[in-house]
Amino acid sequence: MSIFHWKLFPVCFVDGKGLTAFKKISEYIICLYLIISLFLLFRNKNRFELYSYRLLILSICCTIVSELAFTFYISNYGLSNIVGHYFKLFSFYLIYKAIIEIGIQEPYKIIFKELDTSNKNLNKEIEARIRSEKHRERVIKKLQATLAEVKTLSGLLPICAKCKKIRDDEGYWNQIETYFHKHSEIKFSHGLCTDCMDEMYGDEEWYKKKKNQR
């Protein structure tokens, strides 16, 4: 109506001169929107089946080439105009292949695409948890083996009957406090029992008085 009845639509082509500024700027704006759509499609490519995604990308690229070709022609029968229409037809064919044909022949690829993606992500998470569980089991078995080894050593601790030294795994004899300090968190506080005081000093009371004088 704006072109044929009200005649309000701006002139796009002047015979013998070619395209007007309005026509060229409009085509550039369309190309800009198509580039933005390419960016958005790339960000959401996981929502599409791979074959459909590639067809849509190619279709948009062909449309951009077509719109740019429409900015160069001077004659309606010129080469640039013909090239633009061929690319436009090819882009429509690609859209048909990507949406209509696949949507009719293999609709499950479109309907269940997001479900398939969720299932794949869930399977990856399950595999990661299984690996984590196996790693935890290996750590637990290692700790259990270490604990069993410690219990075995404590049950088969070789100690000298006279000097009370303890033999380690390498065959060396160590003082009992040295051995326990090395294999545990035990700390010793030295002193003398009554028998040892009598043996060393002969009189326990004398030892206590001597100690108090110091």
Side-chain angles (χ1 to χ4, degrees):
M1 293 294 291
S2 64
I3 294 174
F4 296 106
H5 181 68
W6 296 315
K7 300 188 183 299
L8 298 175
F9 198 85
V11 177
C12 295
F13 179 80
V14 178
D15 193 19
K17 293 183 179 180
L19 302 174
T20 63
F22 170 78
K23 167 67 173 177
K24 292 182 179 180
I25 293 174
S26 299
E27 297 291 359
Y28 294 145
I29 292 174
I30 293 172
C31 291
L32 177 62
Y33 277 110
L34 290 170
I35 292 172
I36 294 174
S37 68
L38 277 176
F39 173 74
L40 295 175
L41 186 62
F42 176 76
R43 289 190 59 182
N44 296 277
K45 62 181 180 180
N46 293 330
R47 296 176 177 270
F48 295 87
E49 194 268 332
L50 181 60
Y51 181 66
S52 299
Y53 170 76
R54 290 176 177 175
L55 290 177
L56 289 173
I57 290 289
L58 186 57
S59 174
I60 294 175
C61 291
C62 289
T63 305
I64 293 175
V65 174
S66 172
E67 299 299 333
L68 290 176
F70 287 150
T71 63
F72 297 117
Y73 70 90
I74 298 176
S75 171
N76 289 328
Y77 303 99
L79 178 62
S80 178
N81 195 17
I82 295 174
V83 170
H85 281 91
Y86 275 122
F87 271 94
K88 181 75 73 174
L89 289 173
F90 187 58
S91 70
F92 289 159
Y93 172 73
L94 293 174
I95 292 176
Y96 164 77
K97 293 284 291 183
I99 299 177
I100 306 302
E101 185 177 279
I102 294 179
I104 294 175
Q105 294 181 356
E106 300 179 87
Y108 64 90
K109 287 187 177 180
I110 297 176
I111 297 173
F112 297 106
K113 173 60 180 175
E114 188 171 351
L115 179 60
D116 291 339
T117 303
S118 300
N119 288 336
K120 290 179 181 179
N121 293 334
L122 181 60
N123 290 332
K124 290 180 180 179
E125 183 177 354
I126 292 174
E127 291 176 359
R129 291 188 177 184
I130 291 175
R131 289 194 297 268
S132 177
E133 187 70 21
K134 289 182 178 179
H135 176 69
R136 189 180 70 173
E137 289 178 357
R138 288 195 297 267
V139 172
I140 291 175
K141 288 181 180 179
K142 186 176 180 180
L143 292 175
Q144 289 175 344
T146 303
L147 182 60
E149 183 180 356
V150 170
K151 289 181 178 180
T152 302
L153 289 175
S154 63
L156 299 175
L157 193 63
I159 184 170
C160 177
K162 183 178 186 304
C163 65
K164 307 304 180 183
K165 289 183 178 180
I166 296 176
R167 188 180 66 198
D168 58 20
D169 295 335
E170 298 177 357
Y172 296 101
W173 291 91
N174 301 276
Q175 292 289 342
I176 187 170
E177 54 266 59
T178 302
Y179 182 87
F180 278 102
H181 179 73
K182 182 178 179 181
H183 293 83
S184 67
E185 300 294 329
I186 298 176
K187 294 182 180 180
F188 287 86
S189 175
H190 292 85
L192 289 173
C193 66
T194 303
D195 295 336
C196 291
M197 283 193 295
D198 291 341
E199 182 180 350
M200 294 177 65
Y201 300 103
D203 187 358
E204 180 180 353
E205 294 297 330
W206 176 88
Y207 173 76
K208 289 182 179 179
K209 292 179 181 179
K210 194 72 175 177
K211 184 177 179 181
N212 291 333
Q213 291 176 359
R214 293 178 181 176

